[in-house]
Amino acid sequence: MTPAATVAAGHGPDRPPGEGPTELLRRLRTGADADPVTHVERVPARAGEQVPWPRWAPEELRAAFARRGVVAPWRHQAEAADLAYAGTHVVVATGTASGKSLAYQLPALATLLADPRATVLYLAPTKALAADQLRAVAGLELDGVRPACYDGDTPRAERDWIRRHSRFVLTNPDMLHHGILPGHAHWSGFLRRLAYVIVDECHTYRGVFGSHVAHVLRRLRRQCARFGRTPIMVLASATSGDPATAAGRLTGLPVAAVTDDASPRGGVTFALWEPPLLPGAGDPAVGAVDLAPVRRSALRETAGLLADAVAAGVRTLAFVRSRKGAEVVAATARRALDEAVPGLGGRVAAYRAGYLREERRELERALLHGDLLGLASTNALELGVDLVGLDAVLICGWPGTRASLWQQAGRAGRSGGEALAVLVARDDPLDTYLVHHPEALFGRPVEATVLDPANPYVLAPQLACAAAEAPLTPADLELFGEGAKEAVDSLVEAGALRQRPTGWYWRHRERPEVDLRGEGGAPVCVVEAATGRLLGTVDGGSAHFLVHPGAVHLHQGVSYVVDSLDLADGCALVHPEEPDWSTHARDVTSLTVASVRSYVDAGPVGLFLGEVDVTSQVVSYQRRRISSGEVIDTRPLDLPARELRTVAVWFTLSLESLASAGVEPADVPGALHAAEHAAIGLLPLMATCDRWDIGGLSTALHPDTEAPTVFVYDGHPGGAGFAERAYRTAAQWLRATRDAIAECGCEAGCPSCVQSPKCGNGNNPLSKPGAIRVLDVVLASLGASDGSAAPLPRQGDRAAEQARRP
């Protein structure tokens, strides 16, 4: 399956007329030794239902929308707009390309036209989405609205004008947190007239990030209340489970939900694609019976599909989970296309966070104007940027949630035409499970958004920020919700706040440093050592893994090797080099139990939820040959350890129960380790996370539990709600884990079942048969128990004793 074969068949870079998704899928499958498609789901087209414009919508605004081709709203747009205009906080949670933007633009712009003093604040999770919305609002050409983006890319010379004159300010939660709220005195004119706060793509505010944003919104409401304003919150979300509850938790307000999507939708052909086994892998005919089967990597498979689609003239967007992966897919597709038709590779590019502003804007322009036919992107383009005219979407690996899956698939066919979406499975337990269990994807409701504003590791820093903006009062503590008084008391005890009869005051001259996205600190700049040129940035929390000394770093298809990493200055120096190897960081982890919140006594098995302290350190990295994956060597690293207090779910087993199940003592470590890997891989099926949001540890005898134990923990300070979800759905979660291992066709374990791409121990030891037996014991015991959980305090001196197996 190569682009050369496609072009040779007579299809150049202009898409053959009339070719639909079925024909395109048949073309992509051509040439495969075995059919890689495990399932094809047909999502039928749907007619839309239009309704008249609301009577309160001014004629000027109706005419502006008509010039853009909108002659009447869809029913869900009008319903949400009516609620907002009447003063009800509302969330519209409908499918991709259902026109959610009109639902909030209509009441907001009508209010701006009716009241020349009113203002609107729009929040987007990404700069690209805010820039896209700016184009849409500015394109209406409404007098007096003066929309403007206010974010980290805004030149300082423009910021004062925006504060004074813009009535429709588009920004993101980070700038609201770092810039607008701390400078609320300069924004007083805007805030005292604020009519609407629009929170776009609110389903992305989950976990620790969502918990922080929840308090940023409360801080905004607090500042508006000082001026006697109560702005209406209008939220837009992809289809999600229980959007009203999630939106209420995010805003701290009662929110009505509009969920019945009345927009038209083109048909979607959705294929599940499992890359083939590599020749010779596990094949007795070639003497490989002792080797674990190895599949072609999802990155290489996606790159091949992207190249084939572009060679056929099909405008295609490939979603890749990591920044490095997006670069690899784009570079591989470009090389393949250039080999087939010199110069055609120039119509493929990568897009990701970390690029400079100018690069991002140029890529967005090139895609919108058709200069690019293929783009490999991280989820930076998952959100509502209007990518008109895309024919196909490739999804490289399970994106973490069904909501994200449908959001990404919805990028194609936005003009109402037929579309193709392909989920390319990684060699991973969850991906393998899903492509062979399509019922877990199709016909099931999407997940509810998980966030926890009461997380003390979020609440206390946010209260410190609020106090730095204006002294806290008892009424403010009610606004910030559960745990606020305890958090304030801890800040007073730590010397951060001073209590006075009039409230609690911030004691320091400098503002609190709070990282909204939980990325482990400020971004690290990647700088070319010879020229001083800034290539881009990486998240502070990822720097140890991505830009450690000796790491290979990709940027727009160019390969660099890291010379040095200065964590204090936030700078990694690199030089251009194209080695024939890749780098993979390895870390070690230790864990202690701090306290237990709840447990289930299931005889020989105990199931627990509680706080743990995790210490991890990147200690080395492997160099692996790109062509074969062969490990060349392992090189040591000297990087500082990182400590994390978080929430975990864990289960313990008695040695007697393991012995009865046939798990020999020598096999216990490998059995637990394999079960841990698979459980981490399958947890995203139950919670709105992916495996990179969570971590794990297994041991044949943990000092705190005095028993064989498997831990799975949230990878964010204070927890993100994922472990709680795992605890509540433990039987369902572990049943899917057991089935995924048992149904895998390998002999001794492979990446599709029990091997992990992030294992710090090099996936050793692992016992696939032992993992099945371990999970059989756990499931049988949980099924035999009454399943009742005994709640315990969040803190306590008897934590270690409480953590022991019942």
Side-chain angles (χ1 to χ4, degrees):
M1 183 173 56
T2 66
T6 306
V7 175
H11 304 300
D14 292 323
R15 183 182 179 187
E19 182 179 69
T22 303
E23 292 76 14
L24 175 57
L25 180 60
R26 186 179 301 114
R27 178 194 303 279
L28 296 177
R29 296 163 85 166
T30 301
D33 294 332
D35 190 357
V37 175
T38 61
H39 179 80
V40 176
E41 186 80 9
R42 174 66 184 164
V43 181
R46 178 186 64 209
E49 180 186 347
Q50 289 183 315
V51 296
W53 290 104
R55 285 179 294 178
W56 47 261
E59 183 58 37
E60 178 185 358
L61 184 56
R62 301 184 196 187
F65 281 120
R67 289 194 299 270
R68 236 172 48 182
V70 181
V71 296
W74 307 116
R75 177 172 42 77
H76 68 276
Q77 294 171 326
E79 182 181 345
D82 276 332
L83 286 168
Y85 197 78
T88 300
H89 308 293
V90 62
V91 56
V92 53
T94 52
T96 306
S98 59
K100 292 185 285 288
S101 57
L102 181 68
Y104 54 71
Q105 288 173 3
L106 188 57
L109 294 173
T111 299
L112 294 185
L113 294 174
D115 179 358
R117 291 179 53 79
T119 59
V120 171
L121 183 67
Y122 168 94
L123 298 174
T126 66
K127 295 176 183 177
L129 180 54
D132 185 72
Q133 280 295 308
L134 175 62
R135 286 190 291 267
V137 175
L140 294 172
E141 299 179 340
L142 298 171
D143 290 339
V145 173
R146 300 186 293 275
C149 271
Y150 189 91
D151 57 32
D153 292 338
T154 305
R156 295 206 170 271
E158 297 179 15
R159 296 188 178 190
D160 186 58
W161 184 92
I162 293 171
R163 282 194 297 267
R164 293 176 180 272
H165 300 292
S166 177
R167 299 177 60 217
F168 196 118
V169 172
L170 302 100
T171 187
N172 51 64
D174 308 82
M175 183 55 98
L176 180 59
H177 164 66
H178 288 293
I180 295 176
L181 290 174
H184 59 85
H186 300 293
W187 286 87
S188 59
F190 183 89
L191 295 175
R192 71 173 66 247
R193 296 179 280 118
L194 188 59
Y196 289 94
V197 176
I198 298 165
V199 185
D200 206 355
E201 304 289 1
C202 66
H203 65 282
T204 63
Y205 301 126
R206 61 178 178 84
V208 169
F209 179 40
S211 302
H212 274 295
V213 173
H215 289 299
V216 171
L217 291 175
R218 286 159 175 76
R219 285 162 51 200
L220 174 63
R221 290 173 51 206
R222 176 174 178 249
Q223 291 300 330
C224 292
R226 296 178 64 204
F227 300 115
R229 297 294 296 183
T230 305
I232 300 303
M233 297 278 180
V234 186
L235 303 94
S237 169
T239 304
S240 64
D242 199 4
T245 299
R249 191 176 296 121
L250 184 66
T251 61
L253 295 164
V255 179
V258 175
T259 59
D260 189 8
D261 192 339
S263 66
R265 180 184 65 195
V268 179
T269 299
F270 207 131
L272 304 183
W273 187 291
E274 185 174 42
L277 290 170
L278 293 175
D283 185 352
V286 295
V289 291
D290 294 329
L291 297 178
V294 177
R295 294 195 177 276
R296 191 180 188 206
S297 79
L299 291 177
R300 295 176 70 88
E301 194 79 348
T302 303
L305 293 172
L306 179 61
D308 277 351
V310 169
V314 176
R315 294 185 63 186
T316 305
L317 178 61
F319 283 106
V320 189
R321 293 163 57 86
S322 70
R323 297 180 180 188
K324 183 176 180 179
E327 296 279 4
V328 168
V329 167
T332 305
R334 279 196 296 261
R335 282 195 300 270
L337 287 164
D338 282 334
E339 290 173 4
V341 181
L344 187 55
R347 302 194 72 180
V348 175
Y351 183 103
R352 60 174 176 79
Y355 282 176
L356 302 180
R357 176 192 184 187
E358 295 75 16
E359 290 178 296
R360 295 196 307 270
R361 297 295 177 264
E362 176 56 26
L363 288 168
E364 292 162 17
R365 186 207 64 77
L367 187 64
L368 288 170
H369 288 80
D371 299 334
L372 288 174
L373 273 178
L375 197 65
S377 171
T378 59
N379 62 0
L381 285 180
E382 174 182 320
L383 305 178
V385 178
D386 195 6
L387 306 177
V388 177
L390 292 180
D391 302 305
V393 164
L394 307 173
I395 304 170
C396 182
W398 169 246
T401 65
R402 286 182 289 274
S404 287
L405 182 78
W406 289 108
Q407 189 81 349
Q408 292 181 3
R411 294 298 95 191
R414 289 181 67 91
S415 58
E418 293 284 319
L420 173 66
V422 180
L423 172 63
V424 181
R426 292 169 303 147
D427 214 358
D428 170 270
L430 179 54
D431 287 41
T432 302
Y433 179 86
L434 290 173
V435 295
H436 291 284
H437 292 79
E439 70 279 2
L441 290 177
F442 303 110
R444 290 190 61 183
V446 297
E447 307 86 350
T449 303
V450 176
L451 66 149
D452 179 16
N455 180 341
Y457 287 82
V458 172
L459 181 54
Q462 285 293 334
L463 285 167
C465 291
E469 291 156 8
L472 291 167
T473 66
D476 293 330
L477 300 190
E478 184 176 344
L479 171 68
F480 284 95
E482 178 189 352
K485 182 60 169 66
E486 293 81 357
V488 164
D489 290 343
S490 69
L491 289 169
V492 171
E493 184 178 349
L497 298 183
R498 175 182 289 114
Q499 186 171 8
R500 291 286 182 263
T502 53
W504 292 270
Y505 289 74
W506 178 245
R507 297 187 59 181
H508 305 289
R509 180 169 298 180
E510 301 82 10
R511 284 189 46 78
E513 289 291 334
V514 177
D515 177 14
L516 288 194
R517 297 180 184 260
E519 292 170 344
V524 172
C525 298
V526 181
V527 177
E528 190 173 24
T531 64
R533 181 168 66 102
L534 175 64
L535 298 177
T537 61
V538 298
D539 302 332
S542 304
H544 289 213
F545 291 90
L546 298 181
V547 288
H548 58 76
V552 176
H553 177 75
L554 293 175
H555 183 83
Q556 276 293 14
V558 180
S559 175
Y560 297 85
V561 173
V562 179
D563 299 317
S564 63
L565 170 62
D566 189 328
L567 292 169
D569 289 341
C571 179
L573 296 179
V574 303
H575 69 270
E577 182 182 340
E578 293 202 16
D580 63 352
W581 38 264
S582 60
T583 53
H584 303 264
R586 301 181 68 180
D587 63 339
V588 295
T589 301
S590 62
L591 180 151
T592 58
V593 175
S595 66
V596 174
R597 295 184 188 176
S598 181
Y599 69 88
V600 174
D601 183 348
V605 170
L607 178 70
F608 297 85
L609 177 73
E611 284 82 16
V612 296
D613 291 315
V614 181
T615 301
S616 62
Q617 184 176 18
V618 175
V619 295
S620 64
Y621 69 96
Q622 288 182 338
R623 297 193 306 162
R624 300 179 191 170
R625 223 169 281 286
I626 293 175
S627 58
S628 64
E630 170 197 357
V631 176
I632 301 171
D633 59 19
T634 299
R635 300 191 171 190
L637 290 170
D638 183 19
L639 294 171
R642 291 181 167 179
E643 297 184 353
L644 174 72
R645 167 66 66 89
T646 187
V647 179
V649 58
W650 66 95
F651 60 82
T652 62
L653 304 95
S654 69
L655 290 171
E656 295 78 12
S657 67
L658 291 174
S660 298
V663 183
E664 299 295 331
D667 293 331
V668 170
L672 297 174
H673 194 195
E676 172 217 329
H677 281 182
I680 290 173
L682 269 294
L683 181 54
L685 197 61
M686 308 297 159
T688 51
C689 65
D690 62 39
R691 73 182 305 152
W692 302 97
D693 288 322
I694 49 184
L697 182 141
S698 58
T699 176
L701 183 65
H702 193 275
D704 290 342
T705 66
E706 298 181 353
T709 310
V710 172
F711 294 90
V712 176
Y713 58 84
D714 292 353
H716 300 276
F722 309 138
E724 285 95 333
R725 178 67 177 165
Y727 181 75
R728 290 195 298 269
T729 63
Q732 183 184 1
W733 164 44
L734 296 176
R735 170 61 61 187
T737 301
R738 191 261 182 211
D739 291 346
I741 301 172
E743 292 170 5
C744 184
C746 69
E747 289 286 335
C750 69
S752 293
C753 56
V754 299
Q755 293 181 4
S756 169
K758 52 184 284 193
C759 180
N761 295 316
N763 287 296
N764 185 49
L766 291 175
S767 170
K768 176 182 176 178
I772 296 173
R773 295 187 181 104
V774 162
L775 292 169
D776 282 340
V777 172
V778 173
L779 290 166
S781 299
L782 290 178
S785 75
D786 62 7
S788 61
L792 294 173
R794 290 174 69 105
Q795 305 293 336
D797 296 332
R798 299 176 59 249
E801 177 64 29
Q802 291 168 338
R804 293 192 176 97
R805 179 179 56 82

